[in-house]
Amino acid sequence: MSFRWPIKDPDEQLDYSVDWSRFLGSATISSVAWSVKSTEYTTETTVTNGQTLATASSGGTSDTIQNVSQTNTTTVATINLAGGVANREYTFFCSMTDSTGSTAKRSIKLAVRDK
């Protein structure tokens, strides 16, 4: 099951979050990693802080969504995103390791549309 974030315009730069508190119980987040794939580029690619997913697609339009920054608290992982191609859907993956050494991964869909 994938979660879904609100629609993003290609010109917006916004924060998107995953709240892990129900999963964690009394544990806390130790580390977080983000990856992404798009409807055009189906390979899951890690995007680190400041990195852009810039891959040529079959239609000649490159994916240009950027992980501007990422942060986390003890229970919430946040990624700040810029760019993206209009009329394209991205699936983001948030992988988290907690203070007990347990790991989990969530997928979240993000549609990019001109507003």
Side-chain angles (χ1 to χ4, degrees):
M1 176 179 110
S2 288
F3 297 100
R4 185 168 290 282
W5 283 324
I7 293 171
K8 179 192 176 308
D9 184 277
D11 296 326
E12 294 176 323
Q13 181 176 323
L14 300 169
D15 285 339
Y16 294 93
S17 297
V18 176
D19 184 343
W20 289 96
S21 58
R22 291 180 65 188
F23 174 84
L24 289 166
S26 61
T28 58
I29 293 175
S30 294
S31 65
V32 173
W34 291 93
S35 56
V36 62
K37 65 181 181 178
S38 74
T39 50
E40 291 290 318
Y41 187 72
T42 57
T43 301
E44 185 179 335
T45 304
T46 300
V47 284
T48 57
N49 203 8
Q51 187 176 14
T52 300
L53 175 66
T55 55
S57 69
S58 58
T61 304
S62 295
D63 281 314
T64 56
I65 199 151
Q66 182 183 20
N67 172 352
V68 176
S69 63
Q70 62 190 54
T71 59
N72 62 272
T73 66
T74 57
T75 59
V76 177
T78 302
I79 187 169
N80 182 270
L81 297 173
V85 176
N87 302 316
R88 189 164 290 170
E89 184 171 86
Y90 297 86
T91 303
F92 281 84
F93 300 91
C94 180
S95 301
M96 181 275 308
T97 302
D98 71 18
S99 56
T100 68
S102 295
T103 60
K105 185 176 186 176
R106 298 288 182 267
S107 62
I108 311 96
K109 297 209 181 273
L110 175 66
V112 175
R113 305 279 185 266
D114 285 319
K115 293 183 182 178

